[in-house]
Amino acid sequence: MPAHLLSIADLEDGQLESILDLALGLQARPDAHRSTLHGKSIGLYFEKSSTRTRVSFEVGMGQLGGQAVFLSTRDLQIGRGETIADTARVLSRYVNLLMLRTFEHSTVVEMAEHATIPVINGLTDELHPCQALADLMTVRQEFGDLRGRRISYIGDGNNVAHSLMIACARAGLDFSIASPPGYEVADKYLELAGALATDTGAGIETGTDPHAAVAGADAVYSDVWTSMGQETERAQRLADFEGYTVDDDLMARARSDAIYLHCLPCHRGEEVTASVVDGPQSRVFDQAENRMHTQKALMLRLLDRA
Ligand code: CP
Ligand code: NVA
């Protein structure tokens, strides 16, 4: 395993699938490893709101016998000017793992440089690798395999899209994305995914047409059009993303057995209609549950306990 999980690209070939195998086993046997992390702790550092990430890490660590400590930047001395480096050094003396949710991706990178414990990226403005683990677990549950499956993402080329694209490239799934002009995935992550895909045979396609993107999809995915920190752009984004709503018509253009995925929280009537997210093809609550199983597996692996 890598020292940290800042990006899915930190995982070498086979490690991602192996984490999913462990997560599926943990779901089947919730009592397994119930005291494996006894005496261990994780710090959960948040600059932004969270429901799923916070609760799934807290409860997941508890189920493994360990302890979670919630750390809000509103309360920490970092909010009054203590450096990231000193915070990393100090927290490394108290806890065994550190998860961070930050605005700047560089904050997580700097924390990992100075921490002497594994650091987990719990979402930055650029990446959301823990989400991608749960996303692929949900595809595994539905279809039994990953290689050769196709995930189509409709909307903003954001943190969730970047990590999903990288995870598909790493695990050998085809990935297509349709975004409005100006909201494409970042070139550096497209290049990274392209490099990973040459090893696994994954196909990575970008474009602007949602209809073209969902053709042949096993899973259709969308995320909010306005991410945390972009609230002042909301009106402009609502206008720019018109035509990018995942609705029944778009789902009908994917495979007949396709599932719908969303990291949540969602906005019904914007990036997805209520008929889709609350409909029979939706797996969004299984996907949310899978955050906990995959993160339990990740914590066990980073601490070399499974
Ligand atoms: N999907 C996700 O990360 O949800 P939260 O923002 O609630 O943690
Ligand atoms: N793209 C969203 C994901 C939230 C889980 C955001 O960054 O706000």
Side-chain angles (χ1 to χ4, degrees), residues 49-54 101 123 128 131 228 263-265 291:
S49 304
S50 171
T51 298
R52 280 143 289 269
T53 304
R54 177 179 176 177
R101 167 166 288 195
L123 181 149
H128 197 0
Q131 182 65 51
M228 291 180 277
C263 58
L264 302 178
R291 293 292 305 278

Side-chain angles (χ1 to χ4, degrees), residues 152-154 220-224 244 246 260-263 271-272:
S152 299
Y153 180 102
I154 308 301
V220 179
Y221 201 120
S222 59
D223 183 18
V224 293
Y244 285 81
V246 176
Y260 173 73
L261 299 175
H262 191 304
C263 58
E271 74 275 7
V272 63

Side-chain angles (χ1 to χ4, degrees), residues 217 251-259 281:
M251 286 302 295
R253 293 167 188 266
R255 289 176 56 98
S256 59
D257 60 348
I259 58 173
Q281 289 168 284

Side-chain angles (χ1 to χ4, degrees), residues 12-306:
E12 287 171 20
D13 198 23
Q15 289 176 335
L16 195 162
E17 287 268 13
S18 172
I19 288 171
L20 299 185
D21 289 340
L22 180 57
L24 287 158
L26 288 164
Q27 184 184 34
R29 293 179 302 282
D31 275 352
H33 293 288
R34 70 177 167 204
S35 53
T36 303
L37 296 189
H38 178 72
K40 302 290 182 189
S41 56
I42 184 167
L44 304 174
Y45 172 108
F46 286 92
E47 292 179 0
K48 300 175 176 177
S49 304
S50 171
T51 298
R52 280 143 289 269
T53 304
R54 177 179 176 177
V55 179
S56 58
F57 266 109
E58 280 198 22
V59 174
M61 187 47 138
Q63 289 182 2
L64 296 171
Q67 180 188 6
V69 184
F70 177 68
L71 305 165
S72 161
T73 45
R74 280 190 292 277
D75 306 322
L76 294 180
Q77 294 287 11
I78 205 164
R80 298 178 55 251
E82 187 165 19
T83 65
I84 294 169
D86 283 353
T87 305
R89 293 180 185 114
V90 170
L91 291 176
S92 296
R93 302 292 179 104
Y94 298 136
V95 297
N96 306 97
L97 290 164
L98 181 59
M99 187 235 74
L100 293 102
R101 167 166 288 195
T102 65
F103 289 94
E104 302 283 334
H105 187 70
S106 60
T107 304
V108 174
V109 173
E110 191 176 345
M111 201 71 89
E113 277 168 10
H114 296 280
T116 56
I117 55 172
V119 171
I120 299 170
N121 177 355
L123 181 149
T124 67
D125 283 350
E126 296 186 20
L127 295 173
H128 197 0
C130 292
Q131 182 65 51
L133 292 176
D135 300 342
L136 292 196
M137 178 175 169
T138 312
V139 174
R140 275 270 302 264
Q141 276 175 328
E142 188 70 26
F143 298 109
D145 54 24
L146 291 178
R147 272 192 191 248
R149 295 284 167 190
R150 182 179 181 85
I151 301 185
S152 299
Y153 180 102
I154 308 301
D156 192 17
N158 63 13
N159 44 12
V160 168
H162 288 151
S163 285
L164 185 64
M165 174 173 68
I166 295 165
C168 286
R170 167 53 85 206
L173 292 85
D174 292 336
F175 176 82
S176 59
I177 180 166
S179 310
Y183 296 97
E184 299 89 351
V185 287
D187 286 344
K188 66 176 176 179
Y189 293 123
L190 190 57
E191 284 161 21
L192 173 63
L196 293 172
T198 56
D199 293 337
T200 61
I204 307 291
E205 293 167 22
T206 61
T208 56
D209 181 359
H211 288 181
V214 301
D218 295 292
V220 179
Y221 201 120
S222 59
D223 183 18
V224 293
W225 294 338
T226 303
S227 287
M228 291 180 277
Q230 299 172 332
E231 288 76 10
T232 58
E233 302 171 22
R234 180 168 158 74
Q236 184 65 50
R237 283 172 171 267
L238 274 174
D240 291 345
F241 282 87
E242 201 184 327
Y244 285 81
T245 302
V246 176
D247 58 14
D248 292 310
D249 173 58
L250 199 60
M251 286 302 295
R253 293 167 188 266
R255 289 176 56 98
S256 59
D257 60 348
I259 58 173
Y260 173 73
L261 299 175
H262 191 304
C263 58
L264 302 178
C266 70
H267 291 81
R268 289 172 176 81
E270 294 183 21
E271 74 275 7
V272 63
T273 58
S275 61
V276 170
V277 73
D278 300 320
Q281 289 168 284
S282 177
R283 298 290 181 276
V284 299
F285 298 110
D286 296 323
Q287 189 184 355
E289 176 187 323
N290 290 339
R291 293 292 305 278
M292 188 165 74
H293 306 306
T294 47
Q295 289 159 194
K296 284 171 69 178
L298 179 65
M299 290 189 283
L300 286 165
R301 282 286 155 82
L302 285 172
L303 291 174
D304 205 17
R305 296 300 171 106

